[in-house]
Amino acid sequence: MTSSSFSAPTADLAHVSVDAAGDVSTTPPSVTATPVAAARDVSVEDLAAKILAGDRSTLARAITLVESKKPEHQAKARLLVQALLPHTGRALRVGITGVPGVGKSTTIDQLGANLTEAGHKVAVLAVDPSSTRTGGSILGDKTRMARLAVDRNAFIRPSPSSGTLGGVAAKTRETMLLCEAAGFDVILVETVGVGQSETTVAGMVDFFLVLMLPGAGDELQGIKKGVLEIADMIAVNKSDGDNATRARAAASEYRAALNIMAPKSAAWTPPVVLISGLTNQGLDAMWEQVRTHRTRLEATGEFAERRRVQQVSWMWSMLEERLMQALRHNPKVAHRLHELEGGVREGTVSAALAVDEIAGALGV
Ligand SMILES: Nc1nc2c(ncn2[C@@H]2O[C@H](COP(=O)(O)OP(=O)(O)O)[C@@H](O)[C@H]2O)c(=O)[nH]1
Ligand SMILES: [Mg+2]
């Protein structure tokens, strides 16, 4: 990468704008951009400088660049992220999951408000590949996060509205880095308790928080063992009013369940806490646990090691995605892929033979 590539303007980019809902629109050059404006708008150096200065609209526009499918936008986004890399990594990254209705948005809104009140800058990102199908649940979430939505020290960004989980996750990671460069020191990544997305989010954060509903017995049966394995803390939400007793019972069942599992780290036993996102009860104590976790794992070196491991696995998953894309578009094999897949589906070609032919055509 040369330094000149940072300032090379791409005319195309100057005309991309983002509306309030985060949608991208492209307008003809004659309407929006003078050549001067174009140069100003597209220079990676300029974007980087404005992001570092905490300019929110530039941050929003840069995230749109990251989310764009156009190869030239992606290339620009990569340069931008690379340029900002030295200014990233200072935030505490927390993933939050739980079934729909458990109170993620309510809790994030209250927790976020507590944190900005204490002087933090909070970015809320979402990884929700299902939002493609449901038409963007986060728009509803934004109204649920009424306080943060109007808080100058908070920034809410919905999940990218299309793509595979891998694609959405890659964009969320880069968005996280941009937010860090813009001065956000707490990143909350919300995800739904569906399929692989929890593991994916756990793989990009320092701390993974699982929200549970009050109620024991039956509900405990429904817990996926996998989510307990990746949880750094369980918070039983809605522990208010009539729920208080049931919440305590649930908490002891979760504690028992966690007790029989090998902890991820010798320095940290995942606690089970009782909270109410609605009434703000227990949220300070919950956040204190997040901070204690960081202090303890920094002392053992695990905190930094976890990030290093995450970065390397990020590299490999991006590489895999890129290689698969190249494979699908490779003229030597593209036409055969479909036929071979059909053969494997019908049972006329063995999977191993199909792989042999494809790999052979690629010379690997
Ligand atoms: N009683 C009570 N209700 C809550 C609490 N947190 C959320 N809720 C309610 O539960 C419903 C779902 O909350 P929401 O934050 O949208 O859940 P999400 O789908 O996990 O984001 C809403 O009606 C909230 O008002 C809580 O701590 N106590
Ligand atoms: Mg929600």
Side-chain angles (χ1 to χ4, degrees), residues 72-96:
E72 68 268 28
H73 291 179
Q74 288 175 0
K76 189 73 79 179
R78 278 195 289 276
L79 289 177
L80 181 62
V81 171
Q82 180 65 37
L84 290 171
L85 211 53
H87 307 280
T88 66
R90 282 190 282 261
L92 189 50
R93 306 162 178 173
V94 177
I96 300 177

Side-chain angles (χ1 to χ4, degrees), residues 4 17 31 46 82 97 99 123 143 181 205 212 227 250 255-256 283 286 298 307-308 315 339 347 362:
S4 65
S17 62
V31 180
D46 239 13
Q82 180 65 37
T97 191
V99 295
T143 57
V205 295
M212 295 284 194
V227 85
R255 278 189 201 105
L283 292 193
M286 179 180 86
E298 271 177 349
R307 284 193 174 181
R308 281 192 288 266
M315 180 192 86
E339 284 166 25
L362 291 173

